[in-house]
Amino acid sequence: MTAFLSAFFLIAGAALCLFAAVGVLRLPDFFMRMHAATNAGVAGCGLLLIGVAFAYPSPGMWIKVAIAIAFLLLTTPIAGHLLARAGYVAGVSLWGGTREDQLAGELRRGDFDSPQTDFPGRKTMNPTIERVVLGLASGPGIEAAVSYAVALAKKHGAELIGLAIIDAKTLRNVGPVPIGGNYYAAQLRDTLIAKARRRMAGTVQLFEDAAREAGIPFSVIVEEAEPAPFLRQRLDKGSVLVLPRGAWFDHGLADRKIDPASRLSRHRIAQVQAGGDDDAPIVVFG
């Protein structure tokens, strides 16, 4: 009987350690991987120790196993908590699918492994600006973003690029379609894309007028695709990305309001604090 129990606990403990190892390799962010590693340290190793005790049953062995398990229970969760807290405070990115950050506002976050993020009025740590990339998203704050980007490019003699994107993936997601409704869903998608193009054209015109008035050269890149990869590709060394605080590339047509700061953080482009009512643009340094 003891041999059977020993085999059961040893196999169960080894299986938990194996699952935890797979979790460390495959889970999408630091905090989930830390959770998997902590489970292996407590549950997996604890079961293995119990299996060893059943394999060599004696009062001395059980005392040693009990002390070892108590030590694991007292130290491993605390160590995991402290490491996770240190990672959060350092600014380690959360998984892109995270819906709620319950520590937001409770602990101050850093910018670990992220580009430098600045706001107008602060002294930047990156004095070399070769390229200013402006996200031309229709909505609140676009005028302030255009003015800031044009003034920044003129001040540093930098290349000025307007990035006009339509977030086609978001606009084509019109939700569940009932049976027989594919035709009307397709019409709705086309209508949203057409409206986004018209709004984007107005924003591009606003940008071009401001650049011509300032007397600086500029260029415009137009894309209909997911915005995050294009933003990341153009955020290289010497570049500055400027985005309106209250507008995204759905051009205000999505079924829910999209927060640019959350999108940047979700795609690990930059950790940005929520803007609130502040009209100042988001500025990210490469």
Side-chain angles (χ1 to χ4, degrees), residues 144-263:
V146 169
S147 299
Y148 182 83
V150 170
L152 189 65
K154 186 173 183 178
K155 177 180 177 181
H156 293 272
E159 178 185 6
L160 179 62
I161 301 174
L163 198 59
I165 305 174
I166 292 178
D167 191 350
K169 181 179 179 181
T170 297
L171 293 178
R172 292 186 185 280
N173 182 14
V174 296
V177 179
I179 297 176
N182 289 328
Y183 173 77
Y184 299 101
Q187 281 191 325
L188 177 58
R189 295 187 186 101
D190 293 341
T191 299
L192 289 174
I193 294 294
K195 287 182 179 179
R197 289 170 181 165
R198 288 194 292 270
R199 292 189 180 183
M200 185 180 70
T203 303
V204 170
Q205 187 63 52
L206 173 69
F207 166 69
E208 292 178 346
D209 292 344
R212 290 193 183 99
E213 184 177 353
I216 58 176
F218 63 91
S219 61
V220 178
I221 299 175
V222 180
E223 295 286 350
E224 292 189 13
E226 189 173 357
F230 288 97
L231 297 178
R232 187 179 293 109
Q233 288 172 7
R234 284 157 180 84
L235 192 58
D236 52 6
K237 186 175 181 180
S239 296
V240 178
L241 174 65
V242 181
L243 291 176
R245 178 158 314 252
W248 189 245
F249 298 98
D250 64 320
H251 300 278
L253 296 171
D255 58 352
R256 58 184 177 84
K257 182 176 176 57
I258 298 176
D259 180 22
S262 298
R263 283 297 177 99

Side-chain angles (χ1 to χ4, degrees), residues 74-159:
L74 290 173
T75 59
T76 306
I78 296 174
H81 172 78
L82 291 176
L83 287 172
R85 179 188 175 93
Y88 183 87
V89 171
V92 175
S93 298
L94 301 174
W95 174 46
T98 302
R99 293 180 177 271
E100 181 181 1
D101 180 3
Q102 295 182 339
L103 291 177
E106 300 293 332
L107 294 177
R108 186 174 180 179
R109 295 268 281 165
D111 58 354
F112 180 84
D113 197 27
S114 296
Q116 302 170 32
T117 306
D118 194 23
F119 300 95
R122 293 186 186 176
K123 184 178 179 181
T124 176
M125 297 174 59
N126 188 346
T128 304
I129 298 177
E130 301 174 356
R131 189 177 304 103
V132 177
V133 180
L134 171 63
L136 296 175
S138 308
I142 183 60
E143 292 86 358
V146 169
S147 299
Y148 182 83
V150 170
L152 189 65
K154 186 173 183 178
K155 177 180 177 181
H156 293 272
E159 178 185 6

Side-chain angles (χ1 to χ4, degrees), residues 5 7 28 60-61 105 135 166 178 184 189 245 266 278 283:
L5 290 174
M61 177 61 73
I166 292 178
Y184 299 101
R189 295 187 186 101
R245 178 158 314 252
R266 179 178 300 179
D278 190 359
V283 184

